Amino acid sequence: MMQASAPSGPVRSALPYDARQIANFILELAWGRGESVTNLKLQKLLYFSFGFCSVQLNEPLFHNPIEAWKFGPVVRVVWEQFTRYAKSPIENCATYFDFASGKRTVADPRIDQNSAALVTSVYEDLHHLAPWTLSDLTHEPGTSWHEVWTAPEGTVHLDGRISADRIRREFELRLSSAIRA
C-alpha cells in the first residue's frame, strides 16, 4: 500500500475538496488501521461522507459530481482511478495530472479538522460493512440514488448525476430519523 507523502505547506481548509483528496484520506485511514478498501466500498464511503458533511458542515465535501450507477452512487473520477483493481483491495493513492509540472501527482489527503472528524466518523460507523451491504443502503426507496435511478420515463437527469441538494435532503432525513429512533 502506497501512502502519500505529506506535501509541504498548510492544510487547505476551504470546502469543497477534490474527491481524490477525500478518497486518499479514507484510504490512509484504512491502511493506518491495517484494513483494506475496494473501489466499490470506497465509492459508498465517499457518498456517505459527502452526505453527512453536506448536512453537518452546510457545504459539499467535494466538488466532483456523483452519478447514479447500477450498484449505487459513484464519483467517476475516483472510480476511474481504481477500476484496475476490480474487486481487489486498492493499493495506491489517487492521483491527478498537474499541468504546472507536467506530471501525475498524488492528491493531497490533508483536509481541515472538521471535515477529517466527520469523514473519520463515517468510516468508523461503516467500515465493518461489506461493500454490497453499503450498496444496498444506497438503493433503499427514498434515497437520492433510488430517485434518480428509478425516475419516471421522460425525466431528464444529466448523465445520471445526483444533485448535491438531493443528497443533502436525503441525509437531513437520515439524521432526523436517527434522532427520532
Side-chain angles (χ1 to χ4, degrees):
M1 288 172 272
M2 181 184 97
Q3 296 196 347
S5 58
S8 60
V11 173
R12 184 172 162 239
S13 61
L15 293 170
Y17 294 101
D18 185 286
R20 291 167 287 202
Q21 291 177 268
I22 305 304
N24 286 348
F25 180 86
I26 292 169
L27 289 169
E28 289 202 351
L29 186 61
W31 295 337
R33 296 171 182 211
E35 299 169 356
S36 61
V37 177
T38 63
N39 200 358
L40 182 64
K41 187 169 198 166
L42 179 60
Q43 292 297 322
K44 304 320 162 227
L45 293 169
L46 284 169
Y47 178 72
F48 281 97
S49 294
F50 182 94
F52 285 116
C53 285
S54 293
V55 174
Q56 298 291 329
L57 300 177
N58 206 28
E59 291 186 73
L61 180 61
F62 49 83
H63 63 79
N64 312 80
I66 297 176
E67 301 173 13
W69 287 17
K70 181 177 181 179
F71 298 117
V74 169
V75 182
R76 182 184 297 268
V77 70
V78 174
W79 181 265
E80 290 172 347
Q81 286 275 307
F82 301 120
T83 191
R84 70 184 177 273
Y85 292 106
K87 296 177 183 178
S88 298
I90 295 169
E91 297 177 355
N92 292 301
C93 290
T95 61
Y96 67 95
F97 185 79
D98 180 12
F99 288 99
S101 70
K103 298 177 183 175
R104 292 212 63 80
T105 304
V106 172
D108 187 354
R110 296 175 305 154
I111 58 177
D112 69 274
Q113 188 174 4
N114 291 334
S115 298
L118 283 167
V119 174
T120 299
S121 178
V122 168
Y123 182 84
E124 288 172 351
D125 288 346
L126 301 176
H127 76 98
H128 66 283
L129 298 176
W132 293 108
T133 302
L134 292 171
S135 182
D136 289 345
L137 290 174
T138 68
H139 283 62
E140 294 173 347
T143 63
S144 302
W145 176 90
H146 187 264
E147 290 176 0
V148 171
W149 193 257
T150 63
E153 194 69 35
T155 304
V156 176
H157 293 287
L158 183 62
D159 297 331
R161 288 188 182 175
I162 307 171
S163 74
D165 288 339
R166 187 182 295 261
I167 296 168
R168 180 185 171 85
R169 286 191 305 272
E170 172 190 341
F171 281 84
E172 285 171 342
L173 289 172
R174 284 183 183 270
L175 285 170
S176 67
S177 295
I179 290 169
R180 280 181 272 157

